[in-house]
Amino acid sequence: MSASKGFFKLLFDFSFSRFIGIRIIGVIYGVGMFFAALLVLGSVVAGFNHDFLAGLGALIISPIIFLIYVIILRIILEGFVAALRTAENTTQLAENAKREYEVR
């Protein structure tokens, strides 16, 4: 229960001092994979509805398309996470430098 309160607290934090992207990135990846699977399944079904050879071709090509889509999605999301982690680390470094400067 406290995790959901923390999530909603971050969601409605208008100062944007903390990020929620890293917390929900797994959900976004799962949803993307789900839609990729639906796309592949739909293309195979549509191929077989059109013609047997078209369905067979879709059955052969669809896993490759699914794999390419998932790889591209993963790379994009990893870039997003890297940017967020860089921002978090930069904020931490700035806070540490500020504290060290105040001590001197």
Side-chain angles (χ1 to χ4, degrees):
M1 186 72 166
S2 66
S4 65
K5 283 184 179 180
F7 174 77
F8 285 108
K9 184 177 180 182
L10 287 175
L11 185 62
F12 294 108
D13 175 23
F14 289 99
S15 68
F16 289 93
S17 58
R18 303 217 34 221
F19 301 108
I20 64 168
I22 293 176
R23 293 182 182 203
I24 63 170
I25 203 75
V27 174
I28 294 170
Y29 186 57
V31 168
M33 287 182 67
F34 174 75
F35 281 116
L38 283 180
L39 176 74
V40 166
L41 183 62
S43 68
V44 170
V45 169
F48 277 115
N49 281 339
H50 179 63
D51 185 293
F52 177 76
L53 288 179
L56 191 59
L59 190 61
I60 293 169
I61 293 175
S62 291
I64 298 168
I65 293 171
F66 175 80
L67 185 63
I68 290 170
Y69 176 83
V70 170
I71 290 170
I72 291 170
L73 177 65
R74 179 71 185 216
I75 290 169
I76 290 169
L77 292 177
E78 284 179 358
F80 180 69
V81 168
L84 287 176
R85 289 207 170 130
T86 300
E88 286 178 343
N89 292 339
T90 304
T91 302
Q92 186 65 35
L93 285 172
E95 288 173 359
N96 290 344
K98 183 179 178 182
R99 271 188 255 135
E100 186 176 313
Y101 178 74
E102 290 173 353
V103 170
R104 288 183 184 186

